[in-house]
């Protein structure tokens, strides 16, 4: 199985992005029966469309699993996203200077796609190992949500499975102690757990993980 893992570079006021470091550190990570394909994506609209088209081409001939990671500064822990919506609504421009407002990601596309990852199994595995993490019901309306939507849209006719995981600030990069952060070691461990669980379990479990608000 080909397992496509992606992260993003810095954007906006962020000088670093822990998901870029994840891509570097996963280069030496080996899982029996899986071939990891690592991608560091530019924080641009064009970049996520180009990557989604690559995934489409891969999904025509191979069984693939896609896990995308992105930074969500302010989150308290790992957040595995449940749903992607068909909307770009940027509060800041992308790294090409493009700022899309209330724009469909795929004109005439469905309103939303749900994750193809075993989100509840992954959340439960994080909790079992003491890593803070939750199921998130909003991936935002920036490029993370855009990539999540596109990877599901472009592989919808194949057996590909995929989804998106947000990571918080890591303690090594944050300068404001009032903002929540995790150790980078825990973020890396959480990423590896998510990859392993997704490979081993195509189907999810019925577990509590919803939110009241």
């Amino acid at each position: 199985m080909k397992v496509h893992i992606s992260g993003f570079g810095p954007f906006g006021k962020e000088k670093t992005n822990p998901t870029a470091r994840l891509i570097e550190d996963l280069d030496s990570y080996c899982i029996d029966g899986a071939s990891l394909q690592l991608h560091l994506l530019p924080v641009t609209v064009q970049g996520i469309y180009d990557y989604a088209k690559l995934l489409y081409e891969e999904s025509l001939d191979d069984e693939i699993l896609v896990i995308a990671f992105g930074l969500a500064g302010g989150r308290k822990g790992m957040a595995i996203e449940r749903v992607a919506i068909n909307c770009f609504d940027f509060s800041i421009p992308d790294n090409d200077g493009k700022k899309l407002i209330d724009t469909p990601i795929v004109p005439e596309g469905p309103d939303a796609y749900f994750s193809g990852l075993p989100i509840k199994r992954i959340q439960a595995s994080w909790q079992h190992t003491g890593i803070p993490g939750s199921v998130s019901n909003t991936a935002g309306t920036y490029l993370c949500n855009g990539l999540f939507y596109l990877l599901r849209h472009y592989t919808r006719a194949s057996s590909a499975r995929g989804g998106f995981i947000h990571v918080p600030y890591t303690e090594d990069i944050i300068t404001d102690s009032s903002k929540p952060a995790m150790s980078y070691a825990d973020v890396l461990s959480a990423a590896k757990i998510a990859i392993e669980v997704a490979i081993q379990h195509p189907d999810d479990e019925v577990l509590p993980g919803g939110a009241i608000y």
Side-chain angles (χ1 to χ4, degrees), residues 71-72 75 79-85 87 113 136-149 164-166:
L71 172 64
R75 299 278 180 105
I80 186 160
E81 300 296 343
R82 187 194 299 266
V83 62
I85 62 172
C87 180
Y113 284 106
S136 167
N137 296 306
T138 174
T141 53
Y142 195 49
L143 292 174
C144 290
N145 174 76
L147 175 57
F148 183 9
Y149 187 93
F164 198 94
I165 297 174
H166 268 121

Side-chain angles (χ1 to χ4, degrees), residues 6-9 39-55 68 88 90 94-98 100 105 143-144 146-148 150-151 154:
S6 67
F8 283 110
H39 310 269
L40 180 59
L41 305 181
V43 185
T44 64
V45 173
Q46 187 63 54
I48 64 171
Y49 278 98
D50 289 345
Y51 180 52
K53 291 173 183 176
L54 180 150
L55 295 175
F88 283 130
F90 295 178
D94 72 2
N95 286 358
D96 281 341
K98 185 174 291 187
L100 302 179
I105 298 166
L143 292 174
C144 290
L147 175 57
F148 183 9
L150 287 170
L151 71 86
Y154 272 73

Side-chain angles (χ1 to χ4, degrees), residues 36-119:
L36 263 60
Q37 314 291 311
L38 303 173
H39 310 269
L40 180 59
L41 305 181
V43 185
T44 64
V45 173
Q46 187 63 54
I48 64 171
Y49 278 98
D50 289 345
Y51 180 52
K53 291 173 183 176
L54 180 150
L55 295 175
Y56 166 74
E57 292 169 358
E58 290 279 340
S59 71
L60 295 177
D61 299 317
D62 296 301
E63 180 185 4
I64 66 170
L65 171 67
V66 185
I67 305 179
F69 291 92
L71 172 64
R75 299 278 180 105
K76 295 181 179 179
M78 303 293 294
I80 186 160
E81 300 296 343
R82 187 194 299 266
V83 62
I85 62 172
N86 189 11
C87 180
F88 283 130
D89 191 10
F90 295 178
S91 59
I92 61 172
D94 72 2
N95 286 358
D96 281 341
K98 185 174 291 187
K99 190 174 183 180
L100 302 179
I101 307 295
D102 297 335
T103 302
I105 298 166
V106 178
E108 309 304 323
D111 291 339
Y113 284 106
F114 284 101
S115 179
L117 300 177
I119 61 175

